[in-house]
Amino acid sequence: MKLRLLAGLSAFVAAAGLSACSSGSGEGVSGDGGRTTIDVWLMRDSVSTAFQKQFERAFGAAHQDIDVRVQIQEWDGIGEKVTAALASNDAPDVIETGNTQVAQFAQSGGLWDLSDKVDELGGRHWLKGLAEPGTYDGKQYGIPYYAANRVVIYRKDLFAKAGVDARAIRTRAQWIAATKKLDKGDRQGIYLPGQNWYTLSGFIWDEGGELAEKTGGEWRGTLDTPEALRAMAFYEKLQALGKGPKDSDEAQPPQHEVMAKGQVAQIINTPGGANVIAQNNPALKGKLGFFPIPGKTADTPGAVFTGGSDLVIPTVARHHDAAYLFVKELTGDAWQKKLAVAMSYVPNKTTLAGAVAKDPGASAMAVGAAVGHATPNTPGWAAVEAKNPVKDYMTAVLTGGNPAHEAEKASDAITSAMKSGS
């Protein structure tokens, strides 16, 4: 689903909360003088009011025959709301959706196929973690909008005290060595909860594994592969260099609060988490830094789960051409650069990473996003996240369970959940 990992990112932008530019029924209509009105659903806190209005003014000036009505939607319950809209005759013309939600909406035939627009939109440079989940059955339905992902947030003062240079941490081996130096006395080398499964996913991808794979037309869980088992072994090694709980995730307790209160040298989170930490402990303002999650070798950063949004156009939308113009401009290079700077997001193309070069958190995200992934591209994955056997598996291993046995059980549970959810 849409980046639950973006809790920190939401805090990053919440101060500039969105509001709809007008109310409206969601029905695209033709106005006076032959003008076309398109209705657009954007998500709460995705962009600031200032950016939204700036784009609307520029789009209106460039396309004077098109009026745009934006309606702000809440993430809670959005899946059911979009599904209902796609099945009706009253769908908006453009919808922002979480990148991993696209497959479930496309499965019903409710989305307009944009495959013939990919080249025109510069699709060969799109971030893999946004582009791939925007496809279904080989067709492109979701157009990458923006991305965000986890990085390492670290305490500059604790690193200096331990004699650790964050700039020198480029590999997993260097990361482990540095974290061991940091893990002394009351100081935790890293606070890593036992059920941070998005981080584990990155380690699995680094090893060449997957959470699930499609074989012979059917999806099955693959936590029991050698690659995934190696990833879990590394997670266990890293998690032991701190006092993180083995039976909960980063929200229980909120890891930002833990880092703000104690001698925690590192956490893995979106850069927006640094703002939350500083809000909880103003003494840490200016003492927090960022670096990309290290990879197995220095030449390749660690893989990350790419969260963010795609833009889709419903099949039943009344103004496909006008909707496409809106999508084309908002996801085009000029506005992607502006969006990245305004919101500290990662632009939708690898070629635009330089737009955030002066933003330490966003530039660290952009490094990881270049090798980012998304969860398995199947509508059935939503059922996996609802039960989340991955979390149970991680806790079982960290509390002494046999890794191979627990991975086999979890893989079977993933397979069963995907079948029930498809």
Side-chain angles (χ1 to χ4, degrees):
M1 308 306 288
K2 154 82 176 179
L3 254 206
R4 292 193 180 109
L5 67 89
L6 282 180
L9 186 61
S10 293
F12 209 22
V13 301
L18 284 162
S19 61
C21 65
S22 70
S23 57
S25 66
E27 178 181 334
V29 296
S30 294
D32 294 338
R35 295 171 65 84
T36 297
T37 298
I38 61 172
D39 287 287
V40 177
W41 285 4
L42 296 181
M43 301 309 301
R44 178 76 61 190
D45 293 338
S46 285
V47 295
S48 66
T49 302
F51 178 86
Q52 177 188 322
K53 290 182 176 179
Q54 181 187 15
F55 175 78
E56 288 176 9
R57 284 194 298 267
F59 184 83
H63 305 284
Q64 297 185 17
D65 58 337
I66 302 174
D67 289 326
V68 177
R69 295 192 302 197
V70 174
Q71 298 178 49
I72 301 306
Q73 306 297 320
E74 304 294 338
W75 283 111
D76 288 345
I78 190 60
E80 293 81 1
K81 187 170 184 177
V82 172
T83 299
L86 296 180
S88 73
N89 292 319
D90 193 30
D93 298 280
V94 178
I95 300 174
E96 175 191 347
T97 180
N99 58 328
T100 61
Q101 292 178 317
V102 176
Q104 71 182 91
F105 301 143
Q107 182 186 35
S108 66
L111 301 183
W112 191 33
D113 180 5
L114 294 164
S115 302
D116 62 341
K117 307 294 187 183
V118 171
D119 289 342
E120 181 180 346
L121 296 174
R124 71 181 183 276
H125 298 301
W126 282 338
L127 295 175
K128 179 181 178 182
L130 291 180
E132 285 192 352
T135 66
Y136 182 71
D137 277 350
K139 296 179 180 179
Q140 192 77 43
Y141 295 98
I143 304 304
Y145 180 19
Y146 65 84
N149 50 263
R150 286 176 168 80
V151 299
V152 180
I153 302 177
Y154 72 97
R155 286 270 302 268
K156 296 177 182 179
D157 55 335
L158 297 185
F159 269 55
K161 192 176 295 185
V164 175
D165 182 359
R167 296 169 300 179
I169 302 175
R170 301 287 302 280
T171 68
R172 281 191 190 175
Q174 292 167 342
W175 193 18
I176 288 291
T179 304
K180 285 181 177 178
K181 289 183 68 175
L182 290 158
D183 192 44
K184 300 291 183 182
D186 293 335
R187 187 177 62 207
Q188 295 187 56
I190 188 169
Y191 180 83
L192 182 59
Q195 295 183 347
N196 192 329
W197 72 280
Y198 284 116
T199 295
L200 173 64
S201 299
F203 299 157
I204 291 173
W205 293 321
D206 279 343
E207 294 289 350
E210 295 287 347
L211 295 164
E213 291 182 328
K214 192 174 185 180
T215 305
E218 293 189 358
W219 284 90
R220 64 171 297 272
T222 52
L223 292 181
D224 54 346
T225 62
E227 294 84 0
L229 288 168
R230 288 198 300 269
M232 186 62 217
F234 178 75
Y235 190 100
E236 186 173 14
K237 186 176 183 181
L238 184 64
Q239 201 268 342
L241 298 175
K243 299 180 178 66
K246 301 182 189 303
D247 60 351
S248 64
D249 61 20
E250 57 268 44
Q252 299 176 347
Q255 63 177 347
H256 314 100
E257 295 180 7
V258 176
M259 191 171 194
K261 291 178 181 178
Q263 293 287 298
V264 173
Q266 308 171 81
I267 61 171
I268 299 172
N269 195 234
T270 54
N275 284 8
V276 183
I277 294 165
Q279 288 168 9
N280 279 280
N281 184 355
L284 295 181
K285 188 174 182 179
K287 295 182 179 180
L288 300 171
F290 315 91
F291 60 87
I293 294 175
K296 294 185 71 175
T297 60
D299 58 340
T300 305
V304 292
F305 167 73
T306 302
S309 288
D310 283 8
L311 297 177
V312 300
I313 299 175
T315 304
V316 296
R318 301 188 182 190
H319 303 292
H320 282 174
D321 291 343
Y324 174 67
L325 284 175
F326 181 93
V327 171
K328 182 180 179 181
E329 294 214 8
L330 189 51
T331 63
D333 290 5
W335 283 99
Q336 281 292 300
K337 291 177 183 177
K338 293 175 182 178
L339 178 65
V341 172
M343 304 302 300
S344 295
Y345 287 153
V346 180
N348 63 4
K349 298 184 183 74
T350 57
T351 51
L352 301 179
V356 292
K358 295 181 179 179
D359 184 323
S363 59
M365 279 200 299
V367 172
V371 291
H373 294 247
T375 49
N377 190 18
T378 168
W381 187 257
V384 177
E385 290 200 23
K387 299 178 180 179
N388 217 323
V390 185
K391 287 186 173 184
D392 295 337
Y393 157 66
M394 295 173 74
T395 293
V397 173
L398 293 174
T399 54
N402 179 277
H405 175 66
E406 297 298 339
E408 185 175 351
K409 285 170 52 181
S411 295
D412 289 343
I414 290 173
T415 302
S416 177
M418 286 190 292
K419 285 181 179 178
S420 69
S422 295

